[in-house]
Each structure stands twice: as C-alpha cells, then as structure tokens.
Amino acid sequence: MIDKNKPIPLYYQIKEYIEEQIKNGELKPGSKLPTEDYYSKYFDVSRITIRKAMNQLLKEKKIVR
C-alpha cells in the first residue's frame, strides 16, 4: 500500500506497487490492468497521479497499451 506521509512521490509508490504485483504473478502477462478510475479510488489519489505511474511503467516497458 502507499503511504501519503512518506517523502516518496505517490506516483512512484503506486508504480512500485504495480511492479510488485507483476513480479508476484498477481498480474499475468497479457492480462488487463485495472482502470485509472479503479486505481484512483483504490489509492484515493487523482487520476493524474495514476496516469503518471502508468506512463512511467510504459517508459520502462513493464506494461504495454
């Protein structure tokens, strides 16, 4: 889970959370990720924050569109 009191940016914490799900096999190759809206509500953050985390994962080639 993310900690809003940590000095680490929220988007980065969310990115790491999703990476951990991929590593643990909770998110399988080829499966769809939950929507930005879902993650926004789940983490109680803006969709912009979620989008930033997703874009970083895309740049690192951890996910595809």
Side-chain angles (χ1 to χ4, degrees), residues 27-65:
L27 293 173
K28 307 263 186 244
S31 66
K32 290 186 177 182
L33 291 174
T35 63
E36 287 179 1
D37 190 49
Y38 170 84
Y39 278 132
S40 177
K41 290 175 183 170
Y42 183 77
F43 293 114
D44 191 29
V45 298
S46 71
R47 287 182 65 190
I48 293 168
T49 301
I50 300 301
R51 194 168 295 133
K52 190 169 182 178
M54 296 294 191
N55 284 336
Q56 191 65 37
L57 288 165
L58 281 166
K59 284 182 188 175
E60 296 175 9
K61 301 187 189 231
K62 305 274 172 86
I63 63 172
V64 295
R65 286 209 171 156

Side-chain angles (χ1 to χ4, degrees), residues 4-19:
K4 293 183 179 184
N5 295 318
K6 281 186 177 179
I8 301 169
L10 292 174
Y11 85 90
Y12 190 82
Q13 292 182 58
I14 293 166
K15 178 183 97 61
E16 292 209 325
Y17 175 84
I18 295 170
E19 284 179 321

